[in-house]
């Protein structure tokens, strides 16, 4: 009897041990600016781009990223850019050498910090108002664009390919057809030999974590495969804000999204053997956001087997008074973070991320 209860005790200890906290793999910040001038209809006025590089005239993105890595323990940055910026407003998959060189200066600045760097084509699955593969650029043109980007970066393991930011369009847009366009991009990326990198798969409705399952995105994107049939490094791309309408346009936060989004999504991911990265989240510099963001991040970390991490929106060329600004302020000797970064999002503060935990 004594040995039986010892066994029972040993088993329960083993169970507790198995549930020991495992930190999130990634925490990061969006370094925006190359995407400025782009609208949700997929139009981009390239003259309004504000590259977050001092040598190209806007914010000191390199200094920001160095600060975020060294002082806060961040380990990934998402680098939004308009398709039109990269092709100099030609609807083509052929990159403009000068424009791609400029953007790659930001990618290189990011890589120089030791972080992972996500290339994010921020066009809402569109080009000049038309949906890719559904009246807009063909899947072949889309695949060529990604082939050319991936071919350049195929030897760099710390580059992440963020296929596209997606938005909802009442009736024209079909999620299964969209998954076919995503598949074309994945096949093109892998065909360059870029086999080790993470590719992020975006769904409908601004790839909302809340409607990822109900919108059919999860099921449709679950069909996307690497050329060898595997799903290795094909990660679901999900967004979620904490304001009342999930638009990320209000300072106040009203939810931690756990019940509506992170709990059901985590269950689905686990049941289907998939993982997700939350590439946009955030809130204003107010107490409600500090509280709810902290709860959301703790829940994500408690589900780090299926949720890889989070990337806040946004720093880079955003002014420090932008409603969701995570842009730190340089005071002459050092960088001063915003309230939500310093009290909730910074890995050094929350200790939820592998880079510091
Ligand atoms: C693009 O932006 C520039 C600078 O803001 C503006 O002068 C120009 O009219 C815009 N072009 C279009 C087509 O909207
Ligand atoms: C590439 O972009 C530059 C501006 O950066 C422009 O001057 C040049 O004409 C473009 N080249 C082509 C081939 O379109
Ligand atoms: C999109 O997602 C948000 C929550 O993230 C939800 O409130 C909204 O109803 C969704 N829109 C549609 C059309 O499904
Ligand atoms: C500038 O910011 C750094 C880093 O946050 C801080 O240590 C320093 O005290 C600040 N200096 C001034 C003059 O505010
Ligand atoms: C910098 O620090 C001050 C208080 O020390 C704070 O009010 C301000 O919001 C901080 N952040 C930025 C980005 O300026």
């Amino acid at each position: 009897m004594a040995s039986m209860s010892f066994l029972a005790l040993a088993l329960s200890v083993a169970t507790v041990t198995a549930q020991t906290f495992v930190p999130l793999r990634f925490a990061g910040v969006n370094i925006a600016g190359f995407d400025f001038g782009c609208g949700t209809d997929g139009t981009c006025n390239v003259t309004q781009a504000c590259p977050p590089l001092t040598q190209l005239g806007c914010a000191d993105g390199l200094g920001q990223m160095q600060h975020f890595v060294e002082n806060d323990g961040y380990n990934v940055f998402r680098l939004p850019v308009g398709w039109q910026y990269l092709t100099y407003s030609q609807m083509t998959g052929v990159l403009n050498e000068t424009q791609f060189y400029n953007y790659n200066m930001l990618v290189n600045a990011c890589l120089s910090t030791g972080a992972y760097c996500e290339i994010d084509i921020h066009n809402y699955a569109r080009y000049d108002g038309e949906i890719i593969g559904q009246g807009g650029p063909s899947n072949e043109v889309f695949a060529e664009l990604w082939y050319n980007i991936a071919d350049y970066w195929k030897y760099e393991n710390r580059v992440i390919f963020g296929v596209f930011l997606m938005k909802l369009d009442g009736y024209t847009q079909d999620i299964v057809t969209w998954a076919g366009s995503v598949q074309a991009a994945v096949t093109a990326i892998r065909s360059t030999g870029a086999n080790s990198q993470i590719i992020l798969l975006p769904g409908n409705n601004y790839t909302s974590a809340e409607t990822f399952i109900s919108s059919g995105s999860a099921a449709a994107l679950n069909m996307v495969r690497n050329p060898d049939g595997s799903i290795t490094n094909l990660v679901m791309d999900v967004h979620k804000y904490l304001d009342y309408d999930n638009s990320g346009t209000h300072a106040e936060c009203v939810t931690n999204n756990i019940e509506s989004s992170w709990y059901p999504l985590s269950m689905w991911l686990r049941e289907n053997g998939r993982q997700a990265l939350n590439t946009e989240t955030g809130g204003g510099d107010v107490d409600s956001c500090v509280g709810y963001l902290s709860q959301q991040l703790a829940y994500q970390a408690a589900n780090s087997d299926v949720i890889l991490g989070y990337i806040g929106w946004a720093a880079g060329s955003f002014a420090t008074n932008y409603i969701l600004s995570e842009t730190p302020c340089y005071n002459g000797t050092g960088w001063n973070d915003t309230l939500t970064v310093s009290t909730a999002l910074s890995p050094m503060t929350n200790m939820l991320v592998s880079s510091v935990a």
Side-chain angles (χ1 to χ4, degrees), residues 128-326:
D128 287 355
E130 302 284 354
I131 300 169
I132 295 153
Q134 302 179 44
S138 66
N139 286 354
E140 288 69 28
V141 170
F142 183 48
E144 186 184 16
L145 176 75
W146 275 108
Y147 181 94
N148 287 328
I149 293 169
D151 193 44
Y152 185 87
W153 287 110
K154 63 189 169 195
Y155 300 121
E156 179 48 70
N157 292 337
R158 282 183 290 117
V159 162
I160 296 173
F161 302 114
V163 166
F164 242 104
L165 174 55
M166 185 65 166
K167 91 171 205 197
L168 182 84
D169 185 311
Y171 49 95
T172 44
Q173 186 170 302
D174 178 66
I175 188 63
V176 176
T177 308
W178 169 247
S181 300
V182 173
Q183 179 67 68
V186 167
T187 303
I189 290 167
R190 295 299 188 220
S191 77
T192 66
N195 291 313
S196 64
Q197 290 86 351
I198 291 173
I199 303 177
L200 296 170
L201 314 181
N204 224 332
N205 191 14
Y206 299 91
T207 203
S208 163
E210 184 173 337
T211 57
F212 202 70
I213 301 164
S214 64
S215 69
S217 299
L221 294 169
N222 203 17
M223 308 300 286
V224 175
R225 289 287 185 275
N226 290 310
D228 67 2
S230 74
I231 54 166
T232 310
N233 285 323
L234 299 182
V235 173
M236 303 300 180
D237 188 356
V238 293
H239 293 183
K240 201 76 184 72
Y241 289 97
L242 294 83
D243 51 351
Y244 75 90
D245 62 356
N246 186 47
S247 63
T249 59
H250 309 92
E252 291 292 339
C253 293
V254 300
T255 176
N256 56 29
N257 294 314
I258 293 172
E259 208 180 310
S260 68
S261 310
W262 302 117
Y263 167 72
L265 182 66
S266 297
M267 297 287 281
W268 185 91
L269 292 167
R270 212 168 277 125
E271 275 163 20
N272 289 277
R274 307 298 303 233
Q275 293 180 313
L277 181 61
N278 178 198
T279 61
E280 280 190 30
T281 192
D285 276 329
V286 291
D287 289 344
S288 62
C289 292
V290 173
Y292 283 127
L293 269 172
S294 299
Q295 292 168 16
Q296 170 176 283
L297 301 182
Y299 190 85
Q300 291 179 337
N303 291 275
S304 61
D305 58 322
V306 289
I307 298 178
L308 297 182
Y310 61 89
I311 306 182
W313 183 268
S317 296
F318 279 114
T320 51
N321 67 357
Y322 161 61
I323 199 147
L324 258 58
S325 187
E326 294 182 12

Side-chain angles (χ1 to χ4, degrees), residues 331 333-336:
N331 67 13
T333 55
W335 293 89
N336 175 22

Side-chain angles (χ1 to χ4, degrees), residues 320 327-329 336-338:
T320 51
T327 304
C329 179
N336 175 22
D337 278 318
T338 63

